[in-house]
Structures are given as C-alpha cells and as structure tokens.
Amino acid sequence: MRVFEYPARETWDSLLARPTRDAADLNAIVADVLAQVKKGGDEAVRMFEERFDHVSLDCLAVTPEEMKEAEGLVEAPLREALREAHRNIGRFHAAQRFQTHHVQVTDGVECWQEAKPIQRVGLYIPGGTAPLFSTVLMLATPARIAGCEEIVLCTPPGRDGKVHPAILYAASLAGVNRIFKIGGVQAIGAMAYGTESVPKVYKIFGPGNQFVMCAKQQVSLHDVAIDMPAGPSEVCVLADASSDASFVAADLLSQAEHGRDSQVVLLTTDAAFIPKVQDELAAQLARLPRAEIATESLEHSKIVLLHNEEEMMEMTNRYAPEHLIIETSNYMELAAQVMNAGSVFLGRWTPESAGDYASGTNHTLPTCGYAVAYNGVNLDSFLRKVTFQHITPAGILDIGQTVVEMARGEMLDAHARAMSLRMEKVNRN
Amino acid sequence: MRVFEYPARETWDSLLARPTRDAADLNAIVADVLAQVKKGGDEAVRMFEERFDHVSLDCLAVTPEEMKEAEGLVEAPLREALREAHRNIGRFHAAQRFQTHHVQVTDGVECWQEAKPIQRVGLYIPGGTAPLFSTVLMLATPARIAGCEEIVLCTPPGRDGKVHPAILYAASLAGVNRIFKIGGVQAIGAMAYGTESVPKVYKIFGPGNQFVMCAKQQVSLHDVAIDMPAGPSEVCVLADASSDASFVAADLLSQAEHGRDSQVVLLTTDAAFIPKVQDELAAQLARLPRAEIATESLEHSKIVLLHNEEEMMEMTNRYAPEHLIIETSNYMELAAQVMNAGSVFLGRWTPESAGDYASGTNHTLPTCGYAVAYNGVNLDSFLRKVTFQHITPAGILDIGQTVVEMARGEMLDAHARAMSLRMEKVNRN
C-alpha cells in the first residue's frame, strides 16, 4: 500500500479519486444484446447462454426437482449458517417496516403515506468462481418482508447447466418464486422486457460485472428501475494508536481479496501504527488463497497519515466510502461525524465481514462515491410510499383560496376551477 | 374524449398505452451541450443562455438585491397563499422525519439506520409562459427539512434577464441558498459537473421538457443522482353514479390543460354518467383560457366503461397513474385496493389541484407508469439511510461461526479470517 504522509488538502481529491472507466465501448455491445433479447425472447436468451456461458439449455427455469435436490447437496454447517444469516437479515429489515401515520395538515385536510410493495422484482446473482449465496439472502429476504408478489432470480449456470446448490437453497430459504439459468446482459434484458419464460419485472437488483452494470443502466432509462449504479467494492478503515494492527490488516485484506480493482484506504493519525499494519499485511497475505488478487489490489491502495481526527473525518466524508470501519478508541464520537458512507462498522469487534454475511445489515451498498446521494438496499428499496389525501368541505374552505390564488398565478385556470367549483358548492350548502 | 365500452381484458394494455418517444435524436444534441458545459464551465453556460434563452448575462447568480426586490413585486394575496402552502407542505414532510431505532439483532449485535441529508441538492424549475413557484415549494421545503446544507436552484431567465419574482419569493420562503439564471440542458450540466459559479450537486430534482429530462438521465448514469424519470403528466379518475359530473369534468380538465401530451383517463361503472360528464366537459371547456391545449389533450384521452369495481381497480393498478382521484361513493373501500399510483385523492371534495398546491403532499410524482417502481418526491428523497453496527465480544461468539462458514463457502478466506482472528482473541481472553 502506498503511504501518503500529511497530504495537503488541495491534493485530497486526486488522492481519493477512483479509477474511471470508459463505458463507451461497452454501450454498443450491451445495447445489441439487449435489443436481441427484447426482440427474440427465450430463443435469443438461449443463444447468448450458449455463446457466453457455454451451455445449451432446454429449460431456462430451475425445476422443482432441482430445488429439492439442492438442499441435500449443501453441507449441514453451511445450511445452518444460511438459516442464521437469513434470520438476522430478516430481523433487521423487518424492523424497518413503515408505519402509516395520518397527518392532519389543517382543519379538514388529512394526508398520509402507505407503503406498497413493488409487485415484481428481479434479482441478479453473478456467477464466477464462487457462489454468491449471501447476496441471494440480502436481496430476497427484504423483498419477501416487503410483500413483493413475484421475486424472480437470474443467475448463470455452470457448464453442466446447473446452478450451485447453495444459491438454490438460499433462494428457497428467502422465498424466491422463480429462478432462471440466465447470466449477464441477457439476464438483465430478460427481466427488463420479459420473455416467454421470464416475467417482466419492475425493478432489478444485484451486482455484476461491468457488462451487467452497463445493461442495468441502459434498461433503467426507460423500462425498469434499478437498485443503484455500481463500481468496484471499497473499504475505508480509520485507526489510531489503540487499534489492533492484526484486525485492521485482516479488514483491509478482506476488501482487497474481492477483486483486482477493489479500493482499500486506511486513514490514521498515528505514524507508528503504519509499519505495524504493513507487517501484519505481509504476514497475512502470505497465507491467503487469493493472495495474487489481493496483492494487485493493494498496489493501488492507500495509507494516509493525517494530523488529527478532524482531518480524518473530513477526508472520510469527502471519500464517501461504501464500507467504513472505525477502529479508533473513540469510535462513537467519530461515528457521530459520519455524513457520507454506505455502511459503518464501529469498534474493533465489528469487522466488515459481519455485515457482509450475518449481522443483519444489507451488503448491497453504494460504491464509487455514490454514497453522497444513495443509500444501500434496505426495506424501502422494495416499496413505494404512495400518498393519499382526504379533504372535507371544511378543508375546502380552509385551503381553497390558497389553491385558487396559486393556480391563477401559474395561469392554470382549470386547476383553479376544480377548487372554486367545490368552494361554491360548499358555500351554497 | 374517446369512449370505450366494456373493453376485453386482452385490449387493456394497448388501450392504456402511453405515447412512446424516441429519444435517439435528442441524445446526441443533449450530450453535446453537456460536454461543452463540462469543459467550458460558466463561459459555455453563458453562450447557451444567449443561444436558447436569448439573454446575455454578466452574472449568472441572482443577487441579494434582486431577491429583496422580488418580495415587493409579488401581490399580497399570492404571498399569503405561498406562505400557507409552504406551511402545509412543511407540516406533511416534517411528519415524515425518520426516527432511528436501534435493533438488537442478536446477543451483542446492534444495528441501526441514521438519516443523513444529501449535502448538496440542485432544483430545476422550468421557464415558459407560467412561473412554476409551486414546484419551488415542493422541492425546496423538504430539502430544507431534511437538512440539506446547500440547496441550489436553476431556472431560465426571461428575455429581460430576470427571474419571475414569485419564483424568487417562493425560493426565499423555502430556504434555497443560491439561485442561478440558467435553463435547459446547460442548467442540468452546470449542477451535475459544477462551474466557476455553480456548485456541483449530488442529486438533481425537478421537471422539464424532453431535453431537460434527457439531460437528467444522461448525467444520472455517472455524475449525479436524479429524483426519477419522467414523462407527460396524467390523471385517472374513478367515478360512479353518485359522482358529481361537474367536479369530475373540472378534474379531467385540470389535467388536460397542462399540455397537449397530457394523459387523461376516466373509468366508470355507470353508462349514464358518461354523457353527463361529456356535457360538463364541453361547457367548462368553452370558458377555459387554455382551451386549445386542453382540447388537443382530450382528443387522445379516454373514457372507459367497465362492468364493476373489480375491473375498475384492476385497470387502475395496471395503468399505474401519476394522479388517481377516486370520486365514487365507496372511495375508502377502493382506496384499500390501490397498489400502483403516485398520489391518491379520495372523495368528491379532494381535487388533484389541492395536492398540486397546498394540501401538503408533494406534486413531483412518477408518470408514464413508473409508479409501479417509484414513489413521488418525499422527505426520504433528500436523505440517505446510512446503516451502523456495533458488535461486542459476545456478538462475535454469536455470529462468528456463521460468518466464517459463509465466507469460506464463497471462497473469501480473508473475510473469514477477519472474523476468525477476532474469535480467537475473544476465546483467549
């Protein structure tokens, strides 16, 4: 990790800059696949599955038999872990349930919001070397609590045409209705437009490579909502002289192993802590299966030495990290100063991996600095708050003149008349 | 309005279809203006103001003197109306404040959400024939309640280089920090990228023509969040034999006068009601200043006669209207069946124009069927819910094994180790 000692404020933005990707070349490729899926439906999806996932599928849907078979193929300890994680994620998200609260705005004018589930949602779970069953729980559990009627999941099959059993087990645990063996851009297209097999959904959630992300953005322009824009995963750790260097190194590495483009930042006020954490990094890295990926990621990662905690919090908020771990002794004081972050982990006993899997919080979070404007997935992500209002004749008399005055000021006479007609009728009675 | 009697269900989707616009030709024009603003800053903005708004501006910002002057230029009744509307909008949105609730997920694992305001937001208010001061209140009032530090507003000036005083008065009432005389795509670009004068914001809100909408979507791909995608405004009215035809006609017209592309739909179970409302429409239309616009809009608008209330609610939810006015006698029963809508108006004394201006609900709502996945602007639109968690050594022992099991199952050993290192230390103590 590169070390920056007391960098001048003018250099902070460039120091914290994320890598930028030019999506222009992706856009055309992705648009072409999407257009073919829109037009060709299942047949186009099968063709792309053959081309990109190297499988020939008769049936895109996972069958009930495959679901049943999956449970037996997952080892008991992992099944138990998935059940505990599902329970904790459920508890935290269920506590986010919205309570309707009727507001008497003024005499005879009552307004309120009601939470309505998004009826059909689509979850995308990437393939690759490891089965991301944790993301299945993170997305399907709140969707089910929200009351979404149809929860569709797409994930690329292996070359044997099967989906990893732990994905299927997690999906069944969390209440996914239908699972399709479709990956990549074709999965996003299938859920955005609908095909003969795959129902059209109203919102698509989940991570993916840059093709998948680009496809989500393209379909979000007209056809379907998406959870949020995304980029490489990232962590920012705050440490001081009291921090445990082995814990901090482990936390930095748990981000670095995600991918070569993972962003890892350590901010500290203690110069003496830096060599300690570097030694720990070297020692732990040596024993890591994904050492090659983590090493590459650490090469562009940063340790920044700052004068004091004010600077540390200012830099943190300017960076707006996806994950923020505060391992200083006064972590609650610093927590109160957090403005921009996706998810915050407090104290030495709270590693990011707790939230990645099982503490109950969601791990689908804004990266790339999007935390300044977006939050992570939560129960609200699967709901809409619809406003309702009810006005009585007394309410008409209370706000009527205001409405008429403003409507006329905006030269919208029919708006004014919809109110003045009612005012006249109330006054006549 | 065209009348459809008892249409077969298979025809509903085409009957309810919104007009589609091909944005392909817009995209290139908009992308060019955005790129020039990104590169040229204030100079490019001034050039486009000259080209599109036909004004030559020395200073893009509205000055404190102009703000002071504005108050005196707004007539007292309108000032009073704006104050009442601001108060009601404030009451309803303040009632949406989020209460942090600490969740003890399991022994030693505490998780919670905290609402953090988006620090810098940008509001766009279109120009045109009428000053949309109501939208200023609808956007700036909740932004201020949310605690946004910087609320920037862009609106095109008239040919005299001035902004309508009612816009300025509403902005000052609602707590806008800085106002710029910039319209169209150049305004969206200025707020998305920042210029010498205009601060870069994190989220952009507000309506606009199709160029502005296209610009918002383009900048939302990488640079800034936006409130929601948008299209022509729309209303769906439900009526039965008990409804007041003059009220219903007034409500339909108050939508039709918005623009030639406004979408107006009336669903009813009472065949006899249709000629009554048609007569009222003709009579009221004759006395409307914007009759030409309303007439054109009504030409593609629809009256649908249905067999029963089940059909009425099914069609409503399939249409997912921006505004839904239920003027049947049993409006509360039907309200309970609403799934997809932006804002719902209940009973004969609750016209849409109440919510457009002064009842307290927001009028920035999802159009074009986006209500299936989006809600309108509310207090949450100006906030992010950041998750926090704190785990104790007891919590480590409670969820530790689950995290380790899942991390290993996903082949993320550093994730497992960040937890197992802590488990070892707890067990040693």
Side-chain angles (χ1 to χ4, degrees), chain A residues 19-82:
Chain A
T20 55
R21 272 185 195 156
D22 185 9
D25 49 333
L26 284 186
N27 273 330
I29 302 168
V30 167
D32 177 54
V33 175
L34 288 176
Q36 290 196 55
V37 170
K38 189 173 187 174
K39 190 165 168 241
D42 281 350
E43 199 185 316
V45 169
R46 277 205 195 85
M47 186 259 291
F48 287 121
E49 275 308 307
E50 203 155 333
R51 188 186 303 171
F52 298 131
D53 290 330
H54 314 287
V55 309
S56 167
L57 297 168
D58 288 328
C59 175
L60 293 170
V62 171
T63 63
E65 292 70 39
E66 288 174 303
M67 290 300 286
K68 233 173 273 170
E69 192 192 29
E71 182 165 350
L73 294 173
V74 181
E75 303 278 346
L78 181 55
R79 280 210 307 272
E80 174 55 33
L82 286 167

Side-chain angles (χ1 to χ4, degrees), chain A residues 91 105 134 244 251 254 257 340 343-344 348 359 371 375 384-385 387 389-390 410 415 422 425, chain B residues 91 105 134 244 251 254 257 331 340 343-344 348 359 371 375 384-385 387 389-390 410 415 422 425:
Chain A
R91 282 185 186 160
V105 175
S134 62
D244 183 312
D251 293 338
S254 75
E257 76 172 344
N340 299 323
S343 195
V344 185
R348 65 169 61 201
S359 63
N375 51 230
R384 296 145 302 143
K385 309 255 175 84
T387 48
Q389 61 198 286
H390 180 250
E410 292 191 350
H415 282 65
R422 286 168 167 95
K425 192 156 278 186
Chain B
R91 281 184 187 161
V105 176
S134 62
D244 182 313
D251 294 337
S254 74
E257 76 172 344
Y331 55 84
N340 299 322
S343 197
V344 185
R348 65 169 58 201
S359 63
N375 50 232
R384 296 146 300 143
K385 308 254 176 85
T387 48
Q389 61 197 284
H390 180 249
E410 292 191 349
H415 283 65
R422 286 168 166 96
K425 192 157 278 187

Side-chain angles (χ1 to χ4, degrees), chain A residues 252-263:
Chain A
L252 297 172
L253 285 170
S254 75
Q255 191 60 47
E257 76 172 344
H258 261 300
R260 297 174 204 282
D261 54 2
S262 287
Q263 305 290 305

